[in-house]
Amino acid sequence: MVPMYFDNNATTALAPEALQAMLPVLKENYGNPSSPHTMGLMAKGAMDHAREQLATLLNCDSEEIRFNSGATEGINHILRGIFEALPKKRHFVTSAVEHPAVLSVLDYLKRHGAKLSYIGVDSEGRLDLAALESAIRPDTALVSVMAANHETGVIFPLDVVARITKEKGSLLHVDATQAIGRLPFDLQALDVDLLTLSAHKFHGPKGTGAIIARRGLALKSLIRGGTEEGGLRGGTENVPGIVGMGAAAALANEQLHEMDRIRSLRDMFEKKLKSAISDVHIHGSKTQRLPNTSLVSFPDRDGEELMLGLDAKGICVSTGSACASGSKGISHVLKALGTDPTLAKGTLRISMSRYTLESEVQTMLEKIISIPS
Ligand code: PLP
């Protein structure tokens, strides 16, 4: 039995076109992009092409892109780099619902003297913009917020966040990991300084990602050793990964319209689920969400048990963020939403992709409804 996959906020399937683009640089064109000979130049050319493809998806300058291993690395690089670069500015502002990749680095910085302000959300997961405005102070080095939440899918209003942050004179980092390929991005129109992403969330390969550092903002080197990626990250580049990410970015751009179909499928799923089980709670459904995400709580149920029951029936879903699902207890995101613990305990995250079929959603829905209470 091939499992039906509804855990696309954890990771997505590699697009066949991305795999095809990667094969030649794994097999024949395996040169080192730093080598000045023909094979090296071919590898560099493939990497430059990928940089252009990603720049087109984000509408940014290709020179603002620095390739890396993904969002966790990018977030470490940015938060730790800014902390080191601005010793007179010790204050960082973030939201209470960020991914652990952000929260744990900030925790680490706190132990080294950083002052932190966490901005709360309401019961729908909406960011408290008034609290954001009053939290930013003259010694705020950086505001770090996500574009969209990994559990609820709730989208933060980045245009407003950027306006507030800029008026107050702070730098802004956006963790766009869940939003790339699911929402349009136009970095010419959005005043962010730094952005992080991972290719595997938009049908690219795992272990590849990028930082976008705007307007030549000088980050410090993360890995010393070579001049790769403008000296920011020494070491021979992951050319196949980068090429795969470029192809995935080009596809994400072409296929963004598919998200309308996915939104209809998600809405249909939620409507039918609610009519079958009237007391389910769908988090963030009254506000702007990613089109692919549904975070559903079943009162008096155990999310882990539900997830394992569905897995036995060939349906892969999550109990929340992939990183948190191995650990016991209620996710910090649901805590920040003020969700009742008995409700939070019975939570499943269903996340679709542009490859999700209507027939799969129907089957998944039937299996959820048929789980005995
Ligand atoms: N930020 C968000 C919002 C995420 O959802 C994730 C992964 O789930 C990350 C950062 C970390 O991404 P990666 O594991 O690819 O480094």
Side-chain angles (χ1 to χ4, degrees):
M1 173 172 61
V2 180
M4 291 183 189
Y5 188 72
F6 291 95
D7 197 11
N8 287 279
N9 286 11
T11 197
T12 60
L14 183 65
E17 294 89 337
L19 176 63
Q20 281 309 316
M22 291 167 76
L23 288 175
V25 282
L26 282 163
K27 284 154 75 178
E28 302 98 29
N29 304 338
Y30 50 81
N32 185 324
S34 297
S35 303
H37 51 59
T38 306
M39 292 277 284
L41 294 177
M42 280 167 73
K44 177 154 189 323
M47 224 169 64
D48 288 346
H49 180 56
R51 210 182 290 279
E52 291 300 334
Q53 289 172 309
L54 188 58
T56 303
L57 174 67
L58 302 174
N59 197 21
C60 68
D61 191 329
S62 59
E63 294 193 357
E64 296 172 322
I65 296 173
R66 294 286 174 265
F67 293 129
N68 62 17
S69 72
T72 301
E73 178 185 319
I75 290 163
N76 269 269
H77 192 167
I78 288 170
L79 299 182
R80 296 167 73 160
I82 297 283
F83 183 74
E84 253 188 60
L86 303 176
K88 294 214 169 80
K89 294 196 167 194
R90 295 282 86 166
H91 183 233
F92 288 74
V93 178
T94 193
S95 88
V97 294
E98 295 301 304
H99 190 270
V102 168
L103 296 177
S104 62
V105 179
L106 288 176
D107 256 5
Y108 166 84
L109 294 181
K110 188 175 174 194
R111 279 181 262 123
H112 289 80
K115 306 271 178 273
L116 309 179
S117 295
Y118 296 97
I119 308 304
V121 294
D122 68 9
S123 59
E124 286 295 301
R126 286 176 287 233
L127 190 67
D128 184 342
L129 294 165
L132 173 72
E133 186 150 15
S134 46
I136 307 173
R137 26 188 244 209
D139 67 333
T140 303
L142 185 76
V143 172
S144 182
V145 292
M146 57 200 342
N149 188 266
H150 48 297
E151 294 191 27
T152 59
V154 170
I155 298 166
F156 283 170
L158 290 182
D159 50 346
V160 185
V161 170
R163 182 179 49 71
I164 294 172
T165 307
K166 294 292 115 185
E167 275 170 15
K168 295 267 188 160
S170 169
L171 291 171
L172 175 61
H173 162 239
V174 171
D175 171 5
T177 312
Q178 290 292 345
I180 304 293
R182 295 172 182 156
L183 297 177
F185 255 87
D186 180 357
L187 288 182
Q188 298 305 334
L190 197 61
D191 202 359
V192 309
D193 300 289
L194 295 149
L195 184 132
T196 41
L197 58 89
S198 277
H200 72 102
K201 305 282 189 189
F202 58 96
H203 305 290
K206 293 174 180 56
T208 309
I211 286 177
I212 321 299
R214 309 300 311 284
R215 302 174 212 93
L217 190 129
L219 273 179
K220 288 194 166 188
S221 163
L222 178 72
I223 301 174
R224 290 173 203 286
T227 55
E228 291 88 355
E229 292 304 291
L232 280 192
R233 187 178 192 262
T236 304
E237 299 89 340
N238 172 7
V239 182
I242 290 167
V243 166
M245 173 162 63
L251 274 167
N253 213 10
E254 275 166 42
Q255 306 273 315
L256 203 54
H257 58 87
E258 271 292 284
M259 285 298 133
D260 292 338
R261 182 181 69 82
I262 293 305
R263 178 179 285 104
S264 309
L265 279 185
R266 191 268 317 267
D267 292 350
M268 180 269 285
F269 158 74
E270 291 183 347
K271 198 165 159 225
K272 290 192 174 173
L273 183 70
K274 263 191 143 337
S275 64
I277 311 175
S278 60
D279 59 354
V280 292
H281 181 86
I282 300 167
H283 300 275
S285 63
K286 297 192 188 78
T287 188
Q288 297 281 325
R289 270 181 304 162
L290 291 174
N292 75 319
T293 306
S294 189
L295 188 70
V296 188
S297 289
F298 300 81
D300 304 316
R301 301 299 301 264
D302 183 273
E304 189 102 358
E305 264 175 43
L306 290 172
M307 184 269 285
L308 292 173
L310 286 169
D311 191 39
K313 296 177 182 210
I315 310 281
C316 295
V317 300
S318 164
T319 53
S321 92
C323 312
S325 61
S327 52
K328 288 273 167 217
I330 296 159
S331 90
H332 70 284
V333 175
L334 288 179
K335 270 192 194 150
L337 265 66
T339 312
D340 187 299
T342 54
L343 185 63
K345 205 169 152 278
T347 301
L348 290 182
R349 182 186 68 189
I350 285 108
S351 50
M352 306 181 191
S353 83
R354 64 170 188 264
Y355 297 123
T356 305
L357 303 173
E358 183 171 353
S359 57
E360 292 178 313
V361 177
Q362 287 291 358
T363 307
M364 181 262 297
L365 181 66
E366 282 158 24
K367 305 261 186 211
I368 290 186
I369 293 170
S370 70
I371 292 178
S373 50

